[in-house]
Amino acid sequence: MPVIIDRQSMAVSAKIPLFHSEDIIAKYNIKDAVNGFINAVLDYNKKVNIVSRETSVPDLLKIAADCLVPLEFGMLPRGRFFDIGSGGGFPAIVFLLAFPGVEATLFERIGKKAVFLRDFIRQSHLPAEVIDLDFAEAVRRLEPGSFDFGTIKLVRPDRKIFRGAGSLLRPSGRLIYYASAEKISSDVPGSFERVIHNYYLDDIKQLRAITIFSKRD
């Protein structure tokens, strides 16, 4: 269970949950699988930068746990999902390791990163494909309304991305954005409702946020 932190400012009290990386990883019983993935990332990173060279194993474990935080707010992965700008595989690979029943399409237009993702997916027998095209171009090649949810972590969504995501999602599908959407209000179409969740991870030094967009029926 998360710890609830009371922060008072100008007589306003906000209850913000504090999650712990080790607890989240243990909850989904994926410590060994995530460690294997992290080792693969760091090994490949010696040849090609897919994450910062200064990133350590503890750093990546925390990033992996952060990928699963939406589940603490009631987001249950099921069916098919897509991930925009997959990079080194966070959050897409983490979701696939934690939930063997889901299938994924990873959009990563940088060729060397796409090669790493394809190799790891093949070696780990994960139900996923990697598309190394610009998201807007790739959307036109996919069946509309064929995904249950989507994720986007290291890319700032704009109108073009929302338009593509909206076309791919089924009615009532969700898009998880690993940041607060307050600064992109003008780009969010009326076809999406949104809920922003603030939280802390491991300490209260940095306030974090995720935004869950729900496609209107």
Side-chain angles (χ1 to χ4, degrees):
M1 294 293 292
V3 176
I4 302 298
I5 306 297
D6 287 334
R7 301 290 299 269
Q8 291 191 345
S9 177
M10 299 179 65
V12 176
S13 177
K15 293 184 177 180
I16 302 172
L18 169 62
F19 302 110
H20 295 282
S21 295
E22 289 186 4
D23 293 342
I24 292 176
I25 297 296
K27 182 176 181 178
Y28 299 99
N29 195 29
I30 56 170
K31 185 175 181 179
D32 290 344
V34 167
N35 280 332
F37 170 51
I38 288 173
N39 289 336
V41 169
L42 293 178
D43 185 58
Y44 193 81
N45 211 52
K46 295 174 183 177
K47 301 174 289 185
V48 178
N49 275 20
I50 53 176
V51 297
S52 170
R53 288 287 172 88
E54 287 73 38
T55 306
S56 65
V57 170
D59 292 334
L60 290 176
L61 279 170
K62 187 170 184 175
I63 292 171
D66 192 52
C67 293
L68 297 172
V69 164
L71 280 61
E72 302 300 312
F73 294 105
M75 177 67 197
L76 183 62
R78 61 181 178 82
R80 298 181 66 200
F81 78 97
F82 59 84
D83 181 51
I84 303 172
S86 297
F90 301 91
I93 298 296
V94 179
F95 270 102
L96 288 165
L97 294 174
F99 296 90
V102 300
E103 300 177 3
T105 296
L106 284 61
F107 297 102
E108 177 49 63
R109 62 186 180 86
I110 298 177
K112 293 180 179 179
K113 293 181 179 181
V115 168
F116 165 74
L117 293 169
R118 285 196 183 100
D119 286 347
F120 186 84
I121 286 168
R122 185 185 67 255
Q123 293 167 12
S124 304
H125 307 288
L126 297 175
E129 65 172 340
V130 179
I131 298 179
D132 55 357
L133 298 173
D134 179 76
F135 178 64
E137 179 183 350
V139 165
R140 294 194 291 268
R141 305 187 181 194
L142 297 172
E143 181 182 355
S146 56
F147 290 88
D148 297 286
F149 71 99
T151 55
I152 178 168
K153 188 169 178 64
L154 297 177
V155 177
R156 179 169 173 164
D158 54 22
R159 294 181 185 180
K160 187 181 296 185
I161 286 177
F162 276 113
R163 191 181 307 119
S167 71
L168 291 180
L169 290 171
R170 305 184 198 279
S172 301
R174 294 182 178 183
L175 178 65
I176 304 171
Y177 175 45
Y178 286 82
S180 172
E182 292 178 350
K183 295 182 179 180
I184 59 170
S185 296
S186 60
D187 288 323
V188 181
S191 57
F192 282 99
E193 297 177 345
R194 62 183 172 176
V195 177
I196 299 174
H197 298 283
N198 293 313
Y199 64 98
Y200 296 104
L201 186 62
D202 296 331
D203 55 54
I204 59 171
K205 296 178 181 179
Q206 178 185 358
L207 181 64
R208 299 169 181 264
I210 59 167
T211 304
I212 299 179
F213 295 94
S214 298
K215 186 177 176 181
R216 298 177 189 269
D217 292 337

